[in-house]
Amino acid sequence: MLWAAAVEVCLAAVLLYWLRSAGAARRMVFGRAGSIAVLVAGMALTAANAALHLSAAGRSETLFWFLAFPLFLVVSATVPLAAGSLFGPANAADVGAGLLLAIGTAGMFVVAWQIFG
């Protein structure tokens, strides 16, 4: 699960940047609290999906609705975060955060797809 590890590293780096910089998360699409909540949810759901995939519990429709589908929803919430960082940056660090968010978003999609695919 290389993608899961990449997602965790990318989202953790952005989370640390947003926690250390008071204005960075506040400039994001969902505000400080909403943006941080989306990142934390993405990290938690990615870890849960990766653990399920590694346990080889089998793929079922129930697992899709309880794990993979919420991760797809978080992916759809991180797309505006990445776009806001890439297309409306205040500084170079915001561009870096946007690139990490874009990589993390793609990785979350791959992880969720592996559960159902």
Side-chain angles (χ1 to χ4, degrees), residues 12-37:
V14 173
L15 182 62
L16 285 174
Y17 167 62
W18 284 354
L19 289 174
R20 293 180 63 103
S21 174
R26 202 172 306 121
R27 290 188 302 267
M28 290 300 104
V29 178
F30 304 123
R32 183 176 173 83
S35 298
I36 290 173

Side-chain angles (χ1 to χ4, degrees), residues 13-114:
V14 173
L15 182 62
L16 285 174
Y17 167 62
W18 284 354
L19 289 174
R20 293 180 63 103
S21 174
R26 202 172 306 121
R27 290 188 302 267
M28 290 300 104
V29 178
F30 304 123
R32 183 176 173 83
S35 298
I36 290 173
V38 167
L39 288 186
V40 170
M43 292 174 72
L45 286 169
T46 300
N49 277 279
L52 176 72
H53 184 71
L54 291 175
S55 70
R59 292 171 175 85
S60 70
E61 190 170 327
T62 304
L63 293 175
F64 171 75
W65 286 109
F66 284 110
L67 285 175
F69 185 71
L71 187 57
F72 281 125
L73 292 178
V74 171
V75 166
S76 67
T78 55
V79 169
L81 289 176
S85 289
L86 287 173
F87 299 122
N91 53 34
D94 284 348
V95 175
L99 290 173
L100 289 173
L101 281 170
I103 293 167
T105 301
M108 284 189 290
F109 181 81
V110 170
V111 170
W113 189 258
Q114 287 178 343

